[in-house]
Amino acid sequence: MHSTDHAAVPAATPRYNMYAFIHKAMRAFMADTLVRIGRLDANDDADVEAGLGQLRELLDLCRHHLAHEDRFVHPALEARAPGSSMQVASEHVHHEADIDALDALADALVLAPAGAARSAAATRLYRQLAVFVGINFEHMDYEESEHNAVLWAHYSDAELFGIEAQLHAALSPAERAQGLRLMLGALDHSERLRLLEGMRAHAPAPAFEGALALARSLLGQRDWQKLESALQPAAVAA
């Protein structure tokens, strides 16, 4: 009886989660980079250069992500729920210091003499990166639960779209390209479809076509075929 009554209650319409896509992309990039650094051959210069190149890209992404949340999301939280961003704002300060520390460990790896010293430097970098990734996973989950609860209580979805649009407008072309690449590779099929349908509706046609070409280059055959098939009816109707 109870389960029947519960099933009869309509599910609430999901609210817009502005964190969802970029956080999923960042989790995937963090996890991939952690694995990349973990298997690094510290005494192979080419491997070190490639691995640290990916790490530097991740650290730059994290720096920019923190700055954009501080500039656009936290003021929105404070405007209607004073104090609601204080915990995360404090964590952001610590994250910036952690990013600088990882940069310094990467420099130390490059400068370490070949042999055991360089292997030890790589291990220190890997373990510190693992801690950083773990902390960020918890941090992002807090934002998606606690911050979203505040945003949903005080803003309509239309207002949230507006905040996100302001944030996107502040991104550099390189940041937009990086974010799109990471999201296309990290999202599930339905999320990827929503992302591209939104671009088709609102972005210039060349930008949408470029995103399609990028998706084709990134996805496996089955995922690409599903995406192409899902997008085709609307394309034909247009």
Side-chain angles (χ1 to χ4, degrees):
M1 180 67 177
H2 291 295
S3 61
T4 302
D5 290 345
H6 179 73
V9 177
T13 302
R15 294 296 310 275
Y16 184 63
N17 179 0
M18 72 169 72
Y19 292 106
F21 287 6
I22 188 59
H23 276 185
K24 202 169 204 181
M26 292 182 70
R27 289 183 183 105
F29 194 26
M30 286 180 179
D32 185 71
T33 304
L34 179 61
V35 172
R36 180 73 181 83
I37 297 301
R39 66 170 183 250
L40 194 70
D41 182 349
N43 290 290
D44 179 333
D45 289 343
D47 199 27
V48 169
E49 182 178 2
L52 294 188
Q54 180 171 331
L55 175 66
R56 306 283 195 193
E57 182 183 356
L58 172 63
L59 297 181
D60 284 344
L61 171 64
C62 290
R63 285 190 182 95
H64 294 149
H65 183 71
L66 294 175
H68 294 314
E69 286 187 344
D70 288 345
R71 180 179 174 188
F72 295 99
V73 182
H74 292 185
L77 288 162
E78 292 299 318
R80 299 188 185 179
S84 58
S85 73
M86 288 182 62
Q87 176 176 324
V88 166
S90 175
E91 290 176 2
H92 279 191
V93 174
H94 291 292
H95 290 180
E96 289 169 2
D98 292 341
I99 291 167
D100 291 341
L102 286 167
D103 252 336
L105 286 173
D107 291 339
L109 170 57
V110 172
L111 296 174
R118 184 169 291 182
S119 295
T123 298
R124 286 192 294 272
L125 174 61
Y126 170 69
R127 292 184 60 183
Q128 190 61 39
L129 179 60
V131 172
F132 178 75
V133 169
I135 289 171
N136 272 272
F137 278 12
E138 291 188 356
H139 175 86
M140 288 187 281
D141 185 71
Y142 182 91
E143 288 177 326
E144 290 188 46
S145 56
E146 301 302 323
H147 277 194
N148 267 337
V150 175
L151 291 169
W152 294 338
H154 296 281
Y155 289 90
S156 68
D157 280 355
E159 289 175 313
L160 296 179
F161 287 136
I163 295 167
E164 188 178 55
Q166 291 179 333
L167 190 159
H168 284 174
L171 298 178
S172 69
E175 286 176 304
R176 291 193 195 98
Q178 179 193 47
L180 180 62
R181 172 173 55 84
L182 293 174
M183 286 189 288
L184 286 172
L187 301 181
D188 68 31
H189 170 70
S190 64
E191 293 167 336
R192 196 179 293 123
L193 182 60
R194 292 207 317 269
L195 175 65
L196 288 171
E197 285 178 334
M199 290 192 69
R200 179 163 55 188
H202 302 291
F208 173 67
E209 293 299 327
L212 276 185
L214 180 60
R216 180 179 295 182
S217 71
L218 292 172
L219 301 179
Q221 183 177 8
R222 178 168 170 75
D223 283 341
W224 166 250
Q225 288 175 342
K226 286 196 299 182
L227 182 63
E228 185 180 36
S229 177
L231 287 168
Q232 189 63 27
V236 172

